[in-house]
């Protein structure tokens, strides 16, 4: 009697998560980098490809499911969050990723986004923010700065822009973080942290649209300015930044203040980052100054806030189990018929 030997399954690589579809974004688009980082981290998550689902809405970023060798759905404008919620509710074992943009997720889909966050489904939102409508050829978006001149605002936008991180925290998101397309190492770390969080993770990714809004975030991405214009927050560490790590942020009451290190102040005087501090997270979200204004604060990147709260699908499953124990199996035909029925003789 012979026994069959089953060869061990080879470990997956980033290439296993790439499809045979031609990637069709404009040359130089930041989406290429984001796609690359997602494909890079996926093998290390320990989740089978058949248990990963990418759901997108409408926009340049929403081509994402075509390029990921997993299950996926290119849905409709602003409704990726709603579709992903239904999927997670019925198949809680799946790893669900939502790909959306500042237009798709904060304009027509804004209401769906805030309700997913407050419900705390265990899904991962990647919001690609390029501060413009790219797919429809350059109209201003909910995150475009005031006085933005575009095809739809030839005299400059009079809208006040959304602050995505403040919006997410206001919706009681249990995980909010920010990264950028031009920092692959940091983006990979934030993607891993998003996946590891049990609950709704909201990851804002600054993404350059080199056709309709080129250089929108260059102050934060270019070598000549990045170190002075950004502060990367890490759990338990002081908020230090600057080309030579010569600057820091301390709190004057509840007001963040930039100080020079080495003289009156040292790292022991600085704000120590605590991801569980909801009130300080609100201050971080409001470090959103226009870099053109003298005396502006650096822009924070990293995990701003993380909290533990029961997920929607877990609570729903508890209710279903409780209802079954109390009332027994349901009868759909009886439910549809109601309390009174009539028999019509032909």
């Amino acid at each position: 009697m012979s026994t069959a030997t089953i060869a061990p399954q080879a470990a997956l690589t980033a290439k296993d998560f790439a499809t045979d579809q031609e990637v069709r974004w404009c040359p130089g688009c930041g989406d290429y980098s984001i796609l690359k980082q997602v494909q890079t981290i996926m093998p290390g998550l320990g989740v089978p490809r058949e248990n990963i689902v990418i759901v997108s809405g409408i926009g340049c970023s929403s081509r994402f499911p075509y390029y990921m060798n997993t299950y996926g759905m290119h849905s409709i404008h602003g409704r990726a969050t709603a579709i992903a919620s239904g999927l997670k509710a019925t198949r809680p074992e799946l790893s669900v990723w939502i790909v959306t943009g500042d237009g798709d997720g904060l304009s027509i889909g804004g209401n769906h986004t805030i309700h997913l966050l407050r419900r705390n489904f265990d899904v991962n939102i990647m919001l690609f923010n390029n501060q413009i409508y790219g797919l429809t050829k350059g109209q201003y978006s909910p995150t475009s700065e005031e006085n933005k001149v575009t095809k739809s605002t030839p005299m400059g936008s009079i809208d006040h822009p959304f602050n995505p991180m403040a919006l997410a925290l206001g919706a009681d998101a249990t995980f909010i973080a920010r990264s950028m397309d031009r920092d692959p190492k940091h983006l990979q770390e934030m993607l891993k942290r998003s996946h590891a969080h049990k609950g709704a993770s909201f990851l804002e990714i600054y993404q350059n649209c080199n056709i309709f809004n080129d250089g929108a975030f260059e102050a934060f991405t270019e070598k000549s300015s990045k170190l002075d214009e950004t502060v990367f927050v890490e759990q338990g560490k002081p908020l230090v930044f600057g080309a030579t790590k010569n600057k820091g942020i301390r709190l004057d009451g509840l007001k963040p203040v930039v100080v020079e290190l080495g003289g009156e102040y040292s790292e022991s005087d600085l704000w120590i980052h605590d991801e569980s501090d909801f009130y300080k997270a609100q201050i971080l979200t409001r470090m959103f100054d226009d870099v053109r204004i003298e005396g502006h604060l650096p822009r924070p990147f990293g995990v701003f806030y993380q909290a533990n709260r029961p997920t929607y699908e877990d609570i729903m499953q508890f209710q279903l189990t409780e209802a079954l124990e109390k009332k027994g199996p349901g009868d759909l035909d009886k439910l549809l018929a109601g309390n009174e029925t009539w028999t019509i003789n032909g």
Side-chain angles (χ1 to χ4, degrees):
M1 180 177 180
S2 61
T3 57
T5 301
I6 301 176
Q9 188 174 5
L12 296 176
T13 67
K15 290 183 178 180
D16 293 312
F17 286 88
T19 69
D20 60 358
Q21 299 298 300
E22 178 186 358
V23 181
R24 301 189 65 182
W25 286 311
C26 300
C29 175
D31 288 356
Y32 285 96
S33 174
I34 302 172
L35 174 64
K36 173 63 176 176
Q37 309 325 316
V38 172
Q39 291 172 339
T40 298
I41 63 103
M42 281 291 174
L45 300 183
V47 181
R49 281 183 299 175
E50 61 270 22
N51 283 353
I52 298 173
V53 185
I54 313 289
V55 183
S56 67
I58 295 296
C60 294
S61 64
S62 296
R63 296 177 181 272
F64 220 85
Y66 297 109
Y67 311 138
M68 290 293 298
N69 193 14
T70 64
Y71 282 102
M73 181 178 184
H74 188 175
S75 68
I76 54 179
H77 206 184
R79 271 60 178 184
T81 42
I83 290 168
S85 297
L87 177 62
K88 190 66 180 183
T90 55
R91 293 289 303 278
E93 76 279 8
L94 298 178
S95 177
V96 179
W97 298 73
I98 299 168
V99 176
T100 186
D102 46 305
D104 182 63
L106 298 178
S107 183
I108 189 171
N111 214 33
H112 292 285
T113 297
I114 61 175
H115 290 301
L116 181 146
L117 292 173
R118 74 176 178 86
R119 288 170 175 148
N120 200 36
F121 279 96
D122 185 19
V123 299
N124 309 296
I125 299 176
M126 294 186 290
L127 186 132
F128 296 20
N129 182 7
N130 55 24
Q131 297 186 166
I132 204 76
Y133 277 103
L135 184 67
T136 51
K137 306 300 184 285
Q139 300 88 346
Y140 81 108
S141 85
T143 58
S144 295
E145 66 274 19
E146 292 180 25
N147 301 313
K148 181 72 173 180
V149 176
T150 72
K151 294 176 181 178
S152 58
T153 52
M155 297 182 67
S157 168
I158 59 175
D159 283 10
H160 182 73
F162 262 138
N163 178 335
M165 298 292 272
L167 180 74
L169 194 62
D172 280 339
T174 55
F175 180 98
I176 63 171
R178 178 189 287 142
S179 191
M180 62 180 80
D181 56 3
R182 297 189 181 182
D183 193 331
K185 184 178 179 180
H186 186 262
L187 179 53
Q188 288 179 27
E189 182 60 28
M190 292 302 100
L191 290 166
K192 293 175 185 177
R193 289 291 306 275
S194 296
H195 169 76
H197 176 69
K198 176 69 171 177
S201 66
F202 183 88
L203 175 60
E204 179 188 20
I205 306 171
Y206 283 176
Q207 175 255 321
N208 191 50
C209 175
N210 59 311
I211 302 300
F212 296 109
N213 203 23
D214 193 26
F217 303 115
E218 66 179 5
F220 313 124
T221 60
E222 297 303 307
K223 289 183 179 180
S224 60
S225 56
K226 179 178 180 179
L227 295 178
D228 286 317
E229 296 292 350
T230 63
V231 56
F232 286 81
V233 298
E234 296 182 61
Q235 176 66 16
K237 294 185 178 182
L239 272 61
V240 176
F241 70 104
T244 59
K245 298 293 184 181
N246 60 321
K247 301 176 185 178
I249 297 176
R250 65 183 296 268
L251 288 175
D252 181 6
L254 294 177
K255 182 181 179 181
V257 178
V258 174
V259 296
E260 294 286 337
L261 299 178
E264 181 181 356
Y265 298 103
S266 66
E267 289 191 8
S268 61
D269 298 307
L270 301 181
W271 172 355
I272 305 298
H273 183 51
D274 181 359
E275 295 172 358
S276 66
D277 193 323
F278 177 77
Y279 299 101
K280 287 184 179 178
Q282 293 185 70
I283 299 173
L284 279 176
T285 68
R286 293 301 175 179
M287 291 172 60
F288 199 62
D289 298 344
D290 187 330
V291 297
R292 296 168 296 183
I293 298 175
E294 186 176 353
H296 63 271
L297 294 167
R299 191 68 57 90
F301 291 83
V303 177
F304 287 28
Y305 179 68
Q306 180 171 232
N308 294 318
R309 180 155 58 86
T311 64
Y312 187 96
E313 63 271 20
D314 285 348
I315 298 173
M316 185 184 74
Q317 186 57 52
F318 176 80
Q319 281 192 338
L320 292 173
T321 301
E322 187 178 36
L324 188 62
E325 291 174 351
K326 289 182 178 180
K327 300 184 178 182
D331 186 330
L332 182 60
D333 291 336
K334 184 178 180 181
L335 178 66
L336 293 175
N339 295 326
E340 298 181 10
T341 60
W342 293 266
T343 300
I344 301 176
N345 296 319

